[in-house]
Amino acid sequence: QVQLVESGGGSVQGGGSLRLSCAASGFISGRRYCMGWFHQAPGKEREWVALLGSDGTTSYTDSVNGRFTISKDNAKNILYLQMNSLKPEDTVMYYCVALWGICSRNPAEFDYWGQGTQVSVSS
């Protein structure tokens, strides 16, 4: 059973940086997977932010491209999201996600979700 535990959220001023971490357990070596980050604002649906395939391929939604970087420490099984040049509109709950197979931008495709970590950016 895959388990995901996020950390690293918090409050920061606009233009600042935060790094989110997601400690993952239960992954099977050699099996294809996708990990990533989604976010959700109050009253809105969950939307994808950044994805990382087991082949190292990354993708970013347009609003964060060039500001956020997704990476993974395979030795420690920790997924990261480095967030730079943060804006007030980045104030949402962020979720670490995982699925077996190829990456998808559809939240319904992801079988595993962390509990979420809140990011708040002040202007």
Side-chain angles (χ1 to χ4, degrees):
Q1 180 74 6
V2 173
Q3 290 188 321
L4 306 172
V5 180
E6 302 105 331
S7 61
S11 299
V12 66
Q13 283 195 326
S17 298
L18 283 174
R19 188 177 76 164
L20 306 183
S21 299
C22 173
S25 61
F27 276 83
I28 300 173
S29 177
R31 188 174 177 182
R32 188 172 188 175
Y33 65 85
C34 178
M35 294 187 72
W37 297 91
F38 277 67
H39 67 198
Q40 185 174 28
K44 295 189 176 181
E45 295 185 352
R46 294 178 178 182
E47 298 177 332
W48 77 286
V49 176
L51 301 171
L52 173 65
S54 52
D55 61 356
T57 303
T58 60
S59 56
Y60 301 91
T61 194
D62 287 347
S63 63
V64 308
N65 198 19
R67 299 190 297 124
F68 291 11
T69 303
I70 189 171
S71 62
K72 186 172 182 284
D73 184 328
N74 290 319
K76 298 180 179 179
N77 271 335
I78 299 176
L79 183 74
Y80 298 104
L81 185 67
Q82 178 67 43
M83 304 187 294
N84 298 329
S85 302
L86 282 161
K87 305 175 182 180
E89 51 264 43
D90 295 319
T91 297
V92 287
M93 185 74 80
Y94 288 80
Y95 295 90
C96 178
V97 298
L99 62 79
W100 297 115
I102 61 174
C103 283
S104 170
R105 299 176 181 182
N106 182 354
E109 298 289 331
F110 286 84
D111 299 312
Y112 306 102
W113 291 75
Q115 80 284 359
T117 186
Q118 178 70 39
V119 170
S120 298
V121 184
S122 59
S123 57

